[in-house]
Amino acid sequence: MSDQPMSGQPADDRPGAAAGPSAVVRMPVVRLDPGLDLPRTARVGDAGLDLCAVADVELAPAGGRAVVGTGLAVAIPFGCCGLILPRSGLARSHGVTLLNTPGLIDAGYRGELQVLLLNTDPDHAYTVRRGDRVAQLVIMAFTAVQLEVVDALDDSERGTGGWGHSGR
């Protein structure tokens, strides 16, 4: 048995470090723009694949937004979905985040992955450059559900307590 995680990346031998993902699933990808790098994680064991912008775009201050292509189409494995998430450093440093977060990509979608960027900075525009990392793609397995109509739901400790119910 090899001490290498299935990803082919070196094992992380820090105390308490996990050996890597529980399984590696192959996902077909079409490079709609061969000039861009393929998405990759920043470090071994990271979940998010960095997605890059296909073109330059200016985001106006105070709510400027734009749909930005990534130059990629993927075939997400059946039983999985893709979640498009913001990059924390982009939000922290520039106030740029994503609308519709997380963006859900179903396994049957075959079009270009696109992200909807939003500039929350009240005073400064932000320019996205071609090749900038603008979002992350996380592939997740999910459990399919079958709805069952009932007359009442079972009791729980929380009950019907909603917004702010758990305290400050």
Side-chain angles (χ1 to χ4, degrees), residues 4-6 24 48 51 56 59 62 67-69 79 97 101 115 122 138 147:
Q4 299 286 327
M6 292 182 68
V24 175
L51 298 174
D56 294 353
L59 300 172
V67 174
V68 178
T97 189
T101 298
V115 299
V138 175
L147 298 180

Side-chain angles (χ1 to χ4, degrees), residues 122-164:
D123 303 312
H124 299 96
Y126 184 78
T127 302
V128 174
R129 300 286 182 210
R130 174 180 166 76
D132 283 356
R133 295 175 298 153
V134 292
Q136 298 178 79
L137 172 63
V138 175
I139 304 299
M140 307 249 336
F142 66 90
T143 302
V145 297
Q146 181 175 349
L147 298 180
E148 177 184 349
V149 177
V150 297
D151 292 328
L153 301 176
D154 60 330
D155 290 333
S156 73
E157 183 180 338
R158 183 172 184 161
T160 59
W163 298 88

